[in-house]
Amino acid sequence: MIVPMAPKVGPATERELRPHYGYFFICSFHSILRACAAMSSLVASFIAIAIFAGRVANAQPAVSLLIDNGYPSSGTLNIASVLTQVSAKKGQTFHFGSTYDTYDADQSWFDSIFQTFFKHVVSENGCKWDATEPTQGTSDLTECLATQSFATTYGNSFRGHNTFWHSQTPSWLPGSFSASTLVNTIIPQHVQAEIQGMGSSVTSWDVVNEVVGDGVSNGMTALQCVQNKGDWPTVTSDGSGTPLVTDLSFIYQAFKTAYTYAGANTRLAINDYNTGGQDAKTACVIAVLESIQANTSIPYDRLAIGFQSHLTASTGGFYTKSALASTFSTLAALGVNAMITEMDIEVNTDNTANLRYQAAIWGDYLDACLYASNCNEFINWDPRDDLSWRGTSAAATLFDSNGNPKPAAYEVAARLQNYAAGNAEPCATSSGTSVCTITGTGSTTTGSSSSTSSTKSSSSGSGGPTGCASAEWGQCGGMGWTGCTSCASGTTCQEQNAYYSQCLPS
Ligand code: 9MR
């Protein structure tokens, strides 16, 4: 059986097959290189997400939301004008959107939702290498341009994903090319054709996608971080251990070319999953970014890190807002943009408690971006549940399979309104009500100018930051401790000695 990888049929087919992990047995001889490589990557992504999600398996806490406090939790949503107000407040355009490809089903729903809710477009598959250079040396931007044209029709902005990825490569790649041909010919030709062809209005490009490994550790060099990935081209082809490239010149070359041909305001991003906090993989992504800057001389204020944010609604399945804020502020100090590029949140069962928890996490991520000076792109990966790469039952998007808004969509609208109204940043709702309870009355009508007075309360101890909670077994106090002094739901902060207090089960 041939597994179609061409974008017009590939995504749907993969979505159907993905949960069964049966890819390796159905790869035909004809498609084996391309299809198996891409599917192995998907499985790898899944495993990585499972690891990330599996750090802790607590039940979801009860959460307090803005939609409990005067913001709409039902009815028609139209946030177009609120997004304009958010941009005015931020002093820079805030790009909030989702994925689209012209072959997606239910065009009329897309026409509507990209006028009223999502105002920024990313092609889910149409700008990837297999779609844009199916024959070596022949650029084909048909689908990528069609997606951009869809964005333009509704006055929406467009971001590019992606110019280099080891997955969804055309059939002629990896191929029998030397490292020199790859770095000096293949990559610059492809990146130039795509970036030049899509024009200067593209807000940002994922110049390289998912180049950092999942088994990295603190202190690794940028090269070690990328070699740890174990995918082409640091191996001859996915699955083969023989190195093709032995340095990062393929990444530098992609960025140099992108910088030469992109618009003057287009940000150039390194994009990856399971990143955002103070962990080894995020440190690696920053190390690679610094290495790119040092080796290309691209100014930091043209660079960005894309945090994909494929999350799970369970404790440990996402980063805390304070962890994100800390990372974003590290990047802000460099002048680098932070972007949420592929947000989705899997829930086990789409019952009310889980959907409220999902809304709380979505709200926290959005607040982390809104209240950061250097975050102005927020992409939700797949606009509704039945179109999600994570499968319909994961209920991982903002809209259900009928296209109706879920609690998370209303909460997102509320967070945007809250920000646009100039209100203080809400506390970290995903910590649960034992840590973060939103109070106050919001009075607003979706789509019109908002006026609200949401306030926050937190059970944080004195001295530490508010609105955050340390996880079970995490530190919550002690001499010199400046982190969260509250603990996750079900745990309490207990002093072990003068230097160390820990969140232990209550
Ligand atoms: O959502 C995309 C799906 O339709 C494709 O089949 C899949 C192929 O690998 O890629 C999905 O998008 C990925 C994105 O391009 C990069 N980050 C991970 C996303 C989910 O797998």
Side-chain angles (χ1 to χ4, degrees):
M1 173 183 173
I2 292 176
V3 177
M5 288 302 294
K8 285 189 170 54
V9 287
T13 307
E14 287 168 28
R15 265 196 298 272
E16 286 157 24
L17 293 175
R18 178 180 41 70
H20 305 299
Y21 293 82
Y23 299 137
F24 300 105
F25 307 105
I26 55 173
C27 294
S28 75
F29 194 70
H30 177 71
S31 63
I32 198 154
L33 256 186
R34 191 165 45 143
C36 290
M39 288 169 180
S40 301
S41 160
L42 259 184
V43 172
S45 295
F46 253 90
I47 291 167
I49 287 166
I51 291 166
F52 179 55
R55 282 189 207 147
V56 187
N58 287 353
Q60 78 286 2
V63 295
S64 170
L65 299 170
L66 284 185
I67 57 173
D68 305 329
N69 286 275
Y71 288 89
S73 58
S74 63
T76 308
L77 277 177
N78 187 333
I79 61 171
S81 62
V82 177
L83 285 168
T84 305
Q85 292 163 26
V86 166
S87 298
K89 196 87 200 162
K90 263 189 160 276
Q92 57 192 331
T93 307
F94 184 69
H95 301 282
F96 178 87
S98 189
T99 49
Y100 170 76
D101 274 316
T102 59
Y103 43 82
D104 281 329
D106 204 351
Q107 182 64 41
S108 61
W109 183 80
F110 275 90
D111 286 335
S112 162
I113 213 71
F114 276 91
Q115 291 178 70
T116 56
F117 195 86
F118 300 121
K119 298 301 291 175
H120 191 41
V121 176
V122 175
S123 175
E124 182 168 8
N125 290 293
C127 301
K128 293 174 181 173
W129 207 335
D130 58 350
T132 53
E133 196 180 350
T135 304
Q136 189 187 358
T138 305
S139 178
D140 180 356
L141 299 177
T142 311
E143 178 61 23
C144 197
L145 284 165
T147 318
Q148 185 185 46
S149 164
F150 171 77
T152 310
T153 304
Y154 296 121
N156 296 346
S157 45
F158 179 82
R159 103 175 276 269
H161 172 81
N162 54 57
T163 58
F164 184 93
W165 190 21
H166 66 271
S167 187
Q168 282 183 281
T169 48
S171 57
W172 54 274
L173 285 175
S176 304
F177 300 102
S178 67
S180 167
T181 302
L182 176 71
V183 172
N184 299 312
T185 307
I186 292 174
I187 286 178
Q189 270 180 5
H190 175 68
V191 176
Q192 177 183 347
E194 181 156 19
I195 289 192
Q196 210 168 27
M198 294 308 294
S200 59
S201 67
V202 178
T203 57
S204 60
W205 272 103
D206 289 330
V207 178
V208 298
N209 190 47
E210 299 175 10
V211 294
V212 168
D214 296 320
V216 293
S217 45
N218 281 320
M220 278 187 169
T221 64
L223 179 60
Q224 288 169 331
C225 293
V226 174
Q227 285 174 330
N228 182 273
K229 181 77 184 180
D231 276 324
W232 176 80
T234 59
V235 294
T236 46
S237 62
D238 286 355
S240 161
T242 313
L244 176 63
V245 299
T246 51
D247 59 24
L248 296 184
S249 51
F250 74 105
I251 294 178
Y252 306 147
Q253 186 69 285
F255 271 87
K256 276 186 207 161
T257 312
Y259 184 54
T260 303
Y261 295 102
N265 297 317
T266 304
R267 289 275 180 166
L268 307 173
I270 167 174
N271 189 45
D272 221 317
Y273 56 85
N274 288 3
T275 53
Q278 288 67 59
D279 54 285
K281 186 164 181 183
T282 305
C284 261
V285 170
I286 294 173
V288 175
L289 177 98
E290 289 172 338
S291 174
I292 290 166
Q293 199 287 322
N295 285 277
T296 63
S297 298
I298 299 171
Y300 272 128
D301 65 8
R302 291 294 308 283
L303 296 173
I305 292 183
F307 299 96
Q308 291 188 6
S309 309
H310 295 296
L311 311 175
T312 301
S314 61
T315 312
F318 57 93
Y319 290 103
T320 62
K321 185 149 70 82
S322 58
L324 290 170
S326 170
T327 299
F328 290 2
S329 104
T330 299
L331 297 179
L334 291 172
V336 172
N337 263 19
M339 304 170 171
I340 302 293
T341 52
E342 304 186 13
M343 180 104 177
D344 52 26
I345 309 176
E346 175 162 1
V347 299
N348 290 329
T349 312
D350 62 349
N351 57 34
T352 301
N354 284 336
L355 292 179
R356 283 179 58 82
Y357 193 32
Q358 182 185 54
I361 301 164
W362 226 297
D364 284 355
Y365 267 65
L366 181 56
D367 280 340
C369 185
L370 285 171
Y371 289 85
S373 62
N374 59 331
C375 186
N376 54 16
E377 293 201 46
F378 193 104
I379 306 297
N380 306 280
W381 202 254
D382 292 314
R384 67 185 218 199
D385 288 348
D386 58 326
L387 301 172
S388 171
W389 75 286
R390 300 189 74 169
T392 303
S393 62
T397 79
L398 292 170
F399 290 82
D400 69 19
S401 294
N402 295 315
N404 296 317
K406 292 157 61 178
Y410 290 107
E411 185 66 14
V412 156
R415 301 290 172 119
L416 292 167
Q417 290 173 334
N418 186 58
Y419 177 85
N423 292 323
E425 182 175 359
C427 51
T429 52
S430 61
S431 306
T433 48
S434 65
V435 171
C436 168
T437 303
I438 292 178
T439 58
T441 53
S443 68
T444 184
T445 308
T446 307
S448 68
S449 66
S450 61
S451 146
T452 181
S453 62
S454 93
T455 55
K456 59 180 179 178
S457 69
S458 168
S459 63
S460 293
S462 59
T466 57
C468 66
S470 299
E472 187 173 13
W473 313 118
Q475 187 171 0
C476 52
M479 226 177 272
W481 173 246
T482 55
C484 305
T485 51
S486 291
C487 287
S489 175
T491 66
T492 49
C493 190
Q494 292 176 31
E495 186 178 336
Q496 304 303 305
N497 55 51
Y499 301 96
Y500 192 70
S501 298
Q502 191 178 21
C503 295
L504 299 175
S506 307

